[in-house]
Amino acid sequence: MYVIVKVKKVPFYAPMSAKPIPTTRYGHPPKPVRRYKPPGVKPIKHIRHPQSPTHGVVLVVGEVQSGKSSVVNVLFGGENRQISPIQDRGTINIWEFRSVDNLRVIDTPGLGTPSWLERDAQIMASLKKIFDTDAELSRYIPHMVVVVTRFDAPESEFGHPESGFVKTLKALNLLRARLFDEQHSNIIIVLTHFMDGQRKYRLVPQPLLDKVKSIVRIYVDVPCDPYVVVAENHTDRSNLPRVGNNVRLTNGDLYPENLKEAMLSVARNSKSLIGYEYFFRTLRETPNINFDEPLVFRMVDPERTRYRKFLEAIVLAYSSSSV
């Protein structure tokens, strides 16, 4: 015996607050809008050791006329050599110096110069091209990123958004996934022209060093504070006492020993496969770097899409007040 049960259909009433689903002319939902993303690439997750196990890579960046050449000269034995990237028929190049013990030092043109927005975009686009096309740099980040700026900059302009130092940090932040260590700081800030700074900071520079760290935290997305050291470019004119191969600054630091100690601290904390002993031997013994025959990387053509993307990103980054 079967029982037939009639089910009454109850109409569904949508709440008054419900909004109709937007559709196109033909009834299809609209495509999602693609938001602009800066040209910085995502970190490579499958690499267990982000630094190269066979070569020591040191990237040197900084402002124009900040003394990058002097820092490289003092560290790697290129005294009295002008090794800054120069203009060749209107084109600025990135140079790389190599040693027989597998050390790679990449020296870049100056960043952050006012009214040279296009040049900053060209430098960063060219740097990314190098890191994309090089067989080793495409897989690993540099062991150390040395950022050179001037100690004698006016205190009111040091952390100003329009200062060369802040613009340099903003430009580097576009490539943070290809340059900076996600777990340990591999950034070393070198404050040059120490003896030209204010007298109160020449005696006790720690307040200014703390200010530099706070500026880096604002404009660079890194988990740890950078190492900050002071340096003097013109040791002969300053009449500073010499202690072996170093000069004693007015605050008691020995330069370039303080910079070498910071680099060794980076090597010790990063625990890279190349080893702390490699950098200890390289920095304590002057490496045999061929400064006369550097590798020259041509800059990206301004007509390329890579350059235009970086120009848009540089304009957006320089106009922002933080990361």
Side-chain angles (χ1 to χ4, degrees):
M1 181 177 181
Y2 299 94
V3 178
I4 300 175
V5 180
K6 293 184 178 181
V7 180
K8 185 178 180 180
K9 295 182 179 180
V10 179
F12 172 76
Y13 296 96
M16 297 298 294
S17 60
K19 296 181 180 180
I21 300 177
T23 58
T24 59
R25 179 179 178 182
Y26 300 99
H28 302 291
K31 295 182 179 180
V33 179
R34 290 187 177 183
R35 299 187 179 276
Y36 171 77
K37 295 182 179 180
V41 298
K42 297 180 180 180
I44 305 175
K45 298 296 184 181
H46 66 275
I47 294 181
R48 180 175 299 178
H49 302 285
Q51 284 91 5
S52 172
T54 57
H55 290 78
V57 182
V58 179
L59 175 65
V60 182
V61 296
E63 304 173 59
V64 176
Q65 301 296 327
S66 60
K68 298 187 302 298
S69 300
S70 175
V71 171
V72 176
N73 286 336
V74 171
L75 278 178
F76 305 112
E79 294 187 5
N80 300 324
R81 294 178 183 266
Q82 185 66 26
I83 61 175
S84 290
I86 59 176
Q87 292 189 4
D88 181 15
R89 297 180 182 179
T91 303
I92 306 169
N93 303 318
I94 298 176
W95 290 12
E96 178 183 341
F97 307 95
R98 295 193 178 188
S99 68
V100 294
D101 54 351
N102 297 332
L103 179 65
R104 303 178 63 178
V105 181
I106 303 175
D107 192 7
T108 62
L111 292 167
T113 303
S115 72
W116 281 14
L117 201 67
E118 294 79 6
R119 195 182 84 156
D120 289 357
Q122 192 176 27
I123 293 172
M124 296 307 299
S126 303
L127 191 61
K128 184 177 184 297
K129 180 182 178 181
I130 295 173
F131 277 80
D132 287 344
T133 57
D134 187 89
E136 186 176 37
L137 297 178
S138 61
R139 300 178 56 197
Y140 304 104
I141 64 175
H143 291 83
M144 303 164 193
V145 179
V146 180
V147 183
V148 184
T149 187
R150 295 179 67 101
F151 183 84
D152 59 343
E155 186 176 2
S156 59
E157 300 179 3
F158 201 85
H160 194 274
E162 295 298 325
S163 65
F165 177 54
V166 171
K167 288 184 177 180
T168 300
L169 295 178
K170 290 180 177 180
L172 294 176
N173 193 55
L174 297 176
L175 290 181
R176 59 186 178 274
R178 302 300 296 270
L179 301 179
F180 304 140
D181 196 336
E182 294 182 347
Q183 298 180 353
H184 307 280
S185 178
N186 64 337
I187 308 174
I188 303 175
I189 309 295
V190 182
L191 303 178
T192 58
H193 299 83
F194 177 73
M195 296 304 296
D196 295 333
Q198 299 183 32
R199 185 176 183 276
K200 62 176 181 179
Y201 289 135
R202 292 203 307 266
L203 298 177
V204 184
Q206 192 58 44
L208 187 59
L209 305 188
D210 294 337
K211 182 177 180 180
V212 170
K213 293 180 181 180
S214 64
I215 294 173
V216 174
R217 286 195 298 267
I218 294 174
Y219 295 103
V220 181
D221 187 11
V222 290
C224 306
D225 288 339
Y227 297 86
V228 185
V229 298
V230 293
E232 175 54 42
N233 302 61
H234 308 290
T235 56
D236 298 334
R237 293 187 307 179
S238 303
N239 297 323
L240 295 172
R242 301 196 67 88
V243 182
N245 295 327
N246 303 281
V247 292
R248 186 179 298 278
L249 304 178
T250 53
N251 66 325
D253 287 358
L254 295 177
Y255 176 74
E257 183 65 25
N258 56 350
L259 177 55
K260 293 181 179 180
E261 287 294 335
M263 298 177 73
L264 291 177
S265 298
V266 172
R268 185 186 301 109
N269 295 331
S270 64
K271 299 179 181 179
S272 61
L273 291 180
I274 199 171
Y276 166 83
E277 291 76 12
Y278 168 81
F279 281 101
F280 182 86
R281 183 180 66 255
T282 301
L283 294 174
R284 296 306 178 189
E285 302 174 2
T286 302
N288 186 15
I289 293 183
N290 187 1
F291 286 103
D292 297 325
E293 298 180 0
L295 297 177
V296 181
F297 299 98
R298 294 292 179 181
M299 305 299 283
V300 171
D301 189 351
E303 299 298 328
R304 297 289 183 178
T305 304
R306 184 191 300 268
Y307 165 79
R308 293 196 295 268
K309 287 184 177 180
F310 263 94
L311 183 59
E312 295 176 3
I314 286 286
V315 172
L316 182 62
Y318 284 5
S319 61
S320 63
S321 59
S322 61
V323 176

